Amino acid sequence: MAWLLAFSRGVDWVNQRFGAIANWCVLLACGISAANAFVRYGINYSSNAWLEVQWYLFAGIVMLGASYTLFRNEHVRVDLFYGMVGERGRIWIDIFGFVFFMLPAMVLLTWMTWPFALDSWVRWEDSPNAGGLLRWPVKMLLPLGFFLITLQGLSELIKRIALLRGARQPVEVVTEYHRPEQ
């Protein structure tokens, strides 16, 4: 179990770094959006490239930030039973959800988006808009993001199994639950 927990810590570390990149993408997207609005309405000039940069940054925010969100246990979860059970019950619900829903879906999405992104890269696809940007870099975010979520899902699964087995090493997993306010 020790080497699995070491793998889990490594995945957590990687996804924390990608989460930091996603946070910077938020700042950059806000700055570019404000600059675009100023230039468009203040100077009466527009550029497709700057609009596409915003879209690309939004894609980076979602695809690179999703695995970090899972790491932080701040993802959306369907609350039918989760709030009614104790910590051990929540761990079992998480394990069931990872094994039967999240991991198969993320593996499938990684597998399905890779040829799409690879084809774009091989063709050196660019935007059909005048002055637009290359499209393949943003399309590469799809398989990368789904792969990172897959890795983080495995990490979370390992941590929860370690908790059930009474791991001696410290396991950083958040099982705390706060019911959403209605």
Side-chain angles (χ1 to χ4, degrees), residues 54-170:
Q54 285 176 236
W55 301 338
Y56 290 14
L57 288 169
F58 293 145
I61 292 165
V62 172
M63 296 310 298
L64 301 178
S67 57
Y68 180 67
T69 303
L70 180 59
F71 165 72
R72 296 284 312 244
N73 198 36
E74 294 182 0
H75 56 286
V76 175
R77 127 183 319 118
V78 177
D79 176 23
L80 296 176
F81 307 108
Y82 205 80
M84 297 185 294
V85 298
E87 182 177 3
R88 197 164 178 83
R90 289 193 297 270
I91 292 170
W92 276 109
I93 290 171
D94 286 344
I95 289 172
F96 180 82
F98 288 136
V99 170
F100 292 105
F101 297 106
M102 199 278 290
L103 286 172
M106 292 303 107
V107 168
L108 181 65
L109 286 168
T110 304
W111 179 71
M112 291 177 66
T113 57
W114 175 246
F116 171 74
L118 185 61
D119 177 63
S120 181
W121 177 65
V122 167
R123 293 185 301 116
W124 210 254
E125 182 182 5
D126 62 348
S127 173
N129 299 322
L133 303 174
L134 288 172
R135 286 274 167 95
W136 68 265
V138 75
K139 287 186 177 182
M140 284 293 180
L141 286 174
L142 290 168
L144 174 62
F146 291 130
F147 180 69
L148 290 171
I149 297 169
T150 302
L151 287 178
Q152 191 61 47
L154 289 171
S155 173
E156 297 302 316
L157 181 62
I158 290 166
K159 290 185 275 190
R160 281 160 177 82
I161 291 170
L163 283 174
L164 286 177
R165 294 186 62 185
R168 293 191 178 126
Q169 294 179 341

